[in-house]
Every structure is written in C-alpha cells, then in structure tokens.
C-alpha cells in the first residue's frame, strides 16, 4: 500500500456574507500518496484554490481534519505550524503578482532561507540560491535581475525555486501554468515532473484545464460547487467518466487532429447558489438526467476499485 503523506477528512470552509453562509468547500475527503500528484479540477468558483489554501492553513478551515504525515495541522500551535510549513509550499497562479517587484531574483529566492534561518552566512545563502536557480533552469546571469525584466516562464521558475528553498515534501500548485503561453506551459510542466522525480515531491495540482491534468496527475478529483463529485486514477477517469458533470467537462477538450469530430455535451440551466445551498445534488439544476432521487445530497461512494462517484444514478445513465 502506498505511503500516504496527506489525508483530508470532511474539509469545510464557509464564508459569512450579508446574504448567508457561502459554502466554498463543503465536506471534501481525499488521500495523497507520497511522491504522487492529485489533480484538482473544475470550473472557476468551484472551490479548488480555497481547498488548496485551506490545506496549507493560509485560510483557516471551518471544520474537518488535515492530516499531514500523521499530524492534524489544525491542532498545531503557531510555532509548530511554522515548522511544519517548511514541508508544505505553494506555487502561485500569477508568476508576476506573486513576486516582489522591488527585489532581485536572488533576494526573492533567498527570502525564506533567511526568514527561517536555514543558512546564516551570505556566501552560503548565495551558493544555495545559485544551486536553486540551476535546478529550475534559471541562468546565473539573472542573479541580480528584477521580475519585470523577465518573461512569464522565467518568473514562474523563480516562484518554483522559492518554493524549493525550504526543501519541502508537499507542494500545492495553484494553476501554475494557466497564465503562460502554451509552449512555456509544457516547459514548466516538464520541470515540475523532473523535480518530483528528483526530490520525491507530492503535489496537489489545481487547474481547470483537463488536457493538462491528464498528463500530469496520477489521480484526479473533479470538484463542483465545493464538493468532489468524482475521483479516480487519471487514466480510468478519462476512459470511463461516470458523473454527468465529468462527462461534460471531458467533452469540451478539443481533439488535436484535423477533421476530427467529437460530441459536445452542453451544460444548461442556472448554477445553484453557493450561499446556503439546498440539501440536494449541487448539479441537480443543470443535469440532463436529474430525477426525484437527486433532490437528496449524494455521498461520494466507491463505484469501482479506486473510482469514487457522488451521483444517485451512477452506472444507470
């Protein structure tokens, strides 16, 4: 059995609004094996990024357990959490706004090293920064460059180097390539794969691009309005999608072949409000197969080995 580095149980995050409680993340459960990648996919506003940031406790959870290497992160003191965060890092979506424009490449990468007192002498810090730059494919001549002087791909490499500075075991990649050109996306994805292999890193890869997540993830969890509606090994999910929402998402992936045709499943209807949502399937109002059974909230159940689906009609439609 694979070594589990992270287990999330009933993770919940609600935000108070003037209209009621916004259910951003609503009872999410999953496990992440060490050295593997879990792809977290879904349309904008489904709670992907909130899930990732809540796991790192950048946002405090409303309820649930976040078990990292056997310890519940929610129960750690401030000093214990600070120490645990060395093992958990985040790569941001926007490679420009996540970097301080007043600091050079070397200053940005060295910041966590200095803040956590990993190294003390300037010579050791500079040597470590140079090593990290080499690891992520940044030329040595960019040591004293500023973010605005670089393209998006190089900026994202700075963000990756900064995340690696603490020698983490687990990284949340929050749409790390969505702001980049397609050719640069491939370079960054290949780099992340190489780093995972070299350092045995575990990733949660958050994206809305299913064509990207298919090639990058070992397992994929599909989110819709704060809930996981389907979770399976990547290959199995693409070969046999069960949930109607997953099928609709997969049908939107273009086929890179001249003249190739694919039946598109269009999602119609109004999205259920995440504020005080009714106790029914979140996809009920937009599902082509909805029936009276769907007026109760389905649980995420094992449909096939390692393939979990939250749908009353799983296997029937």
């Amino acid at each position: 059995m694979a070594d589990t580095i992270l287990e999330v149980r009933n993770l919940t995050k609600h935000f108070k609004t003037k209209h009621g409680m916004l259910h951003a993340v609503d009872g999410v459960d999953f496990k992440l094996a060490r050295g593997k990648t879990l792809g977290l996919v879904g349309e904008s506003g489904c709670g992907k990024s909130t899930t990732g940031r809540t796991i790192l406790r950048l946002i405090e959870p409303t309820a649930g357990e976040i078990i990292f290497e056997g310890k519940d992160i929610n129960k750690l003191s401030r000093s214990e959490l600070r120490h645990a965060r060395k093992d958990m890092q985040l790569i941001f979506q926007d490679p420009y706004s996540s970097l301080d424009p007043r600091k050079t490449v070397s200053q940005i990468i060295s910041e966590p090293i200095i803040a956590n007192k990993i190294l003390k002498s300037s010579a050791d810090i500079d040597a470590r920064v140079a090593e990290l730059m080499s690891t992520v494919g940044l030329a040595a001549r960019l040591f004293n460059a500023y973010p605005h002087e670089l393209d998006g791909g190089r900026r994202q490499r700075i963000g990756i180097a900064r995340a690696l500075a603490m020698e983490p075991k687990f990284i949340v990649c929050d749409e790390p390539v969505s702001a980049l050109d397609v050719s640069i996306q491939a370079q960054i994805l290949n780099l992340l794969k190489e780093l995972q292999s070299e350092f045995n890193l575990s990733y949660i890869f958050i994206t809305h691009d299913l064509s990207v997540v298919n090639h990058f993830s070992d397992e994929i969890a599909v989110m819709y309005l704060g809930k996981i509606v389907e979770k399976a090994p990547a290959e199995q999910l693409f070969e046999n999608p069960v949930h109607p929402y997953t099928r609709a998402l997969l049908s939107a992936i273009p086929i890179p072949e001249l003249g190739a045709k694919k039946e598109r499943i269009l999602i119609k209807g109004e999205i259920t409000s995440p504020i005080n949502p009714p106790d029914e399937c979140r996809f009920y109002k937009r599902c082509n197969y909805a029936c009276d059974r769907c007026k109760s909230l389905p649980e995420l159940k094992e449909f096939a080995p390692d393939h979990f689906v939250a749908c009353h009609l799983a296997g029937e439609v």
Side-chain angles (χ1 to χ4, degrees):
M1 187 176 178
D3 178 19
T4 300
I5 189 171
L6 174 72
E7 182 176 359
V8 173
R9 302 172 186 163
N10 193 36
L11 183 64
T12 303
K13 180 57 187 179
H14 297 167
F15 294 96
K16 188 176 182 180
T17 73
K18 63 181 180 179
H19 300 294
M21 298 301 293
L22 190 154
H23 293 222
V25 181
D26 215 2
V28 165
D29 298 273
F30 62 78
K31 293 181 181 180
L32 175 63
R34 191 179 301 276
K36 300 295 183 180
T37 300
L38 172 69
L40 202 55
V41 302
E43 58 194 283
S44 297
C46 72
K48 307 184 301 295
S49 293
T50 302
T51 298
R53 291 168 189 247
T54 305
I55 288 170
L56 298 176
R57 269 189 68 183
L58 297 176
I59 301 173
E60 289 297 325
T62 302
E65 297 175 285
I66 306 164
I67 312 298
F68 181 74
E69 293 200 313
K71 294 182 180 179
D72 188 348
I73 294 173
N74 291 334
K75 296 179 180 178
L76 299 182
S77 66
R78 182 175 294 183
S79 61
E80 289 173 331
L81 182 60
R82 182 183 177 89
H83 185 267
R85 280 203 170 122
K86 295 177 182 178
D87 292 328
M88 304 182 295
Q89 292 294 311
L90 173 65
I91 298 172
F92 294 90
Q93 177 178 358
D94 189 337
Y96 188 67
S97 64
S98 63
L99 305 177
D100 189 338
R102 298 167 298 178
K103 293 186 176 181
T104 64
V105 172
S106 61
Q107 289 173 331
I108 292 169
I109 297 174
S110 65
E111 190 172 17
I113 299 172
I114 296 170
N116 289 277
K117 301 178 181 178
I118 304 299
L119 299 170
K120 294 182 179 180
S121 76
S122 296
D124 288 342
I125 293 171
D126 287 349
R128 176 60 176 155
V129 169
E131 180 186 359
L132 287 165
M133 288 178 65
S134 175
T135 299
V136 300
L138 283 170
R141 61 183 171 80
L142 301 176
F143 193 85
N144 291 314
Y146 287 89
H148 73 269
E149 300 175 307
L150 308 176
D151 60 29
R154 288 190 177 91
R155 290 175 194 158
Q156 195 59 290
R157 289 175 191 269
I158 297 171
I160 295 171
R162 179 176 59 186
L164 291 176
M166 303 304 298
E167 299 183 0
K169 300 173 183 176
F170 164 61
I171 299 178
V172 173
C173 305
D174 188 4
E175 304 215 34
V177 298
S178 63
L180 305 176
D181 293 338
V182 174
S183 59
I184 305 299
Q185 285 184 13
Q187 294 176 20
I188 297 300
L189 289 173
N190 289 336
L191 171 62
L192 289 171
K193 268 293 187 186
E194 291 168 7
L195 294 173
Q196 183 175 44
S197 178
E198 183 176 352
F199 300 111
N200 196 32
L201 296 170
S202 306
Y203 292 142
I204 287 181
F205 190 84
I206 298 169
T207 183
H208 60 271
D209 190 338
L210 276 162
S211 58
V212 168
V213 80
N214 180 32
H215 298 290
F216 192 79
S217 303
D218 299 290
E219 191 174 29
I220 298 174
V222 180
M223 285 192 73
Y224 185 80
L225 283 181
K227 286 190 170 292
I228 291 178
V229 296
E230 188 162 3
K231 181 169 68 73
E235 185 176 346
Q236 189 172 339
L237 187 86
F238 273 73
E239 288 182 357
N240 183 32
V242 176
H243 198 282
Y245 178 64
T246 307
R247 291 179 187 173
L249 286 182
L250 294 180
S251 75
I253 300 175
I255 301 174
E257 295 179 16
L258 189 64
K261 293 184 178 180
K262 186 176 184 180
E263 183 182 355
R264 178 76 187 274
I265 302 174
L266 297 178
I267 302 177
K268 301 177 181 179
E270 186 178 344
I271 300 174
T272 300
S273 173
I275 299 176
N276 299 329
D279 190 23
E280 64 186 18
C281 175
R282 297 287 164 83
F283 195 57
Y284 174 68
K285 292 182 178 179
R286 306 176 77 193
C287 183
N288 295 328
Y289 308 102
C291 63
D292 288 342
R293 275 187 283 170
C294 305
K295 291 182 180 179
S296 63
L297 198 62
E299 296 181 10
L300 190 67
K301 295 181 178 179
E302 193 166 20
F303 173 77
D306 298 324
H307 192 155
F308 296 82
V309 184
C311 180
H312 292 298
L313 304 175
E316 298 179 21
V317 296

